[in-house]
Amino acid sequence: MSGKIKSRSAANADSIAGRVSCDERILRDCHQLYTDPESGLITVAQSVGVTLLPPRKKITVMLMGNHSAGKSSFINWYVEEHIQRTGVAIETQGFSFVTSGRKRESLTGNATLHLYPHFKPLQEFKGLSEYLGTEVCTSRQKRFSLVTFVDSPGLVDGDMKYPFDVDEAIMWLGELCDLILVFFDPMGQALCKRTLNIVERLNEKHGDRLHFYLSKADEAGGESDRQRVMMQIVQELCKRPGLNKCGFDMPTIYIPNPNKPSRCVNQIEEVCRTVEKTINQTVQNTLNSLEKDCEVITEAITDTLTVDRQTGAQNSRARCKGCFFALLGFMVPLALLALLVLGSLSRELLEVALGSKGTEALAVYLAPVVRVTESLSVEHQLYACGGLVFLSFLLLILARFSFRTQQTLSGKQKRQLQEKLEYVQDVVKSKKKKLYDEYLRQSVGDQDMDM
């Protein structure tokens, strides 16, 4: 017992000193790259109309099974602390989240939903909020710092009344959980139809997340008894079309007790390896998602700047077209006015103003207009003037419509987008490469990294 206390204290001391595992640091840094209020990827993406979700810093593992299947006992064994009460009556059970933190704390339903905002839709399940809780403990055993356990209510058949829709709640949580551990109790409850029905439904969408275990295997009697129980469970599972798959595996597990040795093979470490594998896969998925999100943001910013340049070019063409129509629209009345003024002046005044050569040149240029005007009656001349005025009015209307332009980015906005683009390409991508290298160095040597 003293050894356990000593190892746990040492682990907690490491936590206080800030010593975290490589995987934990990678997930934390990735989360920070997304959520930084000033330069986080979520903020950058929102500026170009892209919505991103931040990665979680821990995986979520849900334990489900019949009543007294050993779910809470497994959590206590994993964290090496007595966090979850065992042997409690089914009527008092709800969903309990178990996570690591800086100090031991118990949170109620509202505090739980505040801590886990992505679980807030659970409020929509009538009566469930009162049966939510979170246990925060300081344990750093195994990979607990990267795991949030969800201890679900024990399932029973018959007329048992739950204070909420437990089946649908488990189905909803299954959508968000990274791993679902199903414990079957060999002591007569393993073939609970409610458990099998939920497992079958979960398997339809999340078969890769489901893992089955025969819990409390040391209480199943001799080896022949265990084999019989396992055969019964496997046969019942295989009767379900969705669960009838080849290579069905169900390791036998139980909580080791030095005071109660057993000859039964204990594969409880297999559960730890499954959790470890899920953590590793989550780290890889997070890094891959980071790279994809960087590409999405880069493409969105590039597209925004490209569209802005195209819009600016269209606006320039629209202004030129508008200026052309406006010039024509003003030239028509100005030409009429010039004709009226010149026609009212005597030849002597024109020669004084323009000289004899200028007057002769003007007469040559205006001769066609004069002949056309003289060939028209006074009434037709008025009609012609009215038509020219109407043409001028139409040209001015076209000029006004042509001057309509689309809004473009200001110089400041373009500089900000360019800075964001450089930040994503230079800072975030280099940080992602560094994190990936740190992750790979856990498994391969430096000589392989340089290849």
Side-chain angles (χ1 to χ4, degrees), residues 147-333:
V147 180
T148 294
F149 286 110
V150 181
D151 193 2
S152 63
L155 303 174
V156 295
D157 287 331
D159 298 329
M160 174 62 201
K161 297 290 184 181
Y162 292 88
F164 52 87
D165 192 338
V166 65
D167 296 24
E168 293 304 319
I170 291 176
M171 288 298 302
W172 187 89
L173 282 168
E175 294 281 344
L176 296 185
C177 290
D178 302 284
L179 192 61
I180 305 172
L181 307 180
V182 184
F183 285 7
F184 290 102
D185 175 20
M187 306 305 291
Q189 299 271 347
L191 302 181
C192 170
K193 289 185 178 179
R194 184 189 292 269
T195 302
L196 297 176
N197 291 338
I198 296 177
V199 166
E200 185 176 17
R201 291 177 61 190
L202 285 170
N203 185 70
E204 293 175 0
K205 295 182 178 180
H206 314 295
D208 56 326
R209 304 178 191 176
L210 284 170
H211 293 266
F212 304 97
Y213 299 94
L214 180 66
S215 60
K216 297 184 177 181
D218 58 332
E219 299 180 7
E223 183 63 28
S224 60
D225 297 325
R226 278 191 294 273
Q227 291 297 327
R228 188 183 69 255
V229 170
M230 287 187 65
M231 286 295 295
Q232 290 175 349
I233 297 173
V234 171
Q235 286 176 0
E236 190 65 31
L237 286 170
C238 290
K239 287 180 182 177
R240 310 291 177 116
L243 297 173
N244 188 7
K245 47 189 175 182
C246 299
F248 195 90
D249 188 27
M250 184 183 294
T252 57
I253 65 172
Y254 58 91
I255 306 303
N257 185 352
N259 300 322
K260 187 181 176 183
S262 174
R263 292 184 178 181
C264 176
V265 176
N266 192 359
Q267 297 173 281
I268 196 167
E269 291 296 334
E270 191 71 28
V271 188
C272 299
R273 283 190 287 271
T274 300
V275 172
E276 174 84 16
K277 183 179 178 181
T278 304
I279 291 172
N280 294 337
Q281 191 62 51
T282 299
V283 174
Q284 295 179 43
N285 292 340
T286 299
L287 291 171
N288 292 338
S289 296
L290 176 59
E291 183 174 6
K292 291 178 182 178
D293 290 340
C294 286
E295 294 297 333
V296 170
I297 294 174
T298 299
E299 184 178 352
I301 294 177
T302 303
D303 290 345
T304 301
L305 292 173
T306 301
V307 170
D308 182 73
R309 284 194 294 269
Q310 293 173 349
T311 303
Q314 292 174 357
N315 289 346
S316 297
R317 289 193 293 269
R319 292 189 186 98
C320 292
K321 190 185 296 183
C323 289
F324 176 73
F325 285 131
L327 183 62
L328 289 178
F330 283 114
M331 282 181 64
V332 172

Side-chain angles (χ1 to χ4, degrees), residues 44-60:
V44 173
Q46 286 176 345
S47 65
V48 287
V50 176
T51 301
L52 297 180
L53 295 176
R56 283 177 280 172
K57 292 182 282 187
K58 300 181 179 183
I59 69 167
T60 304

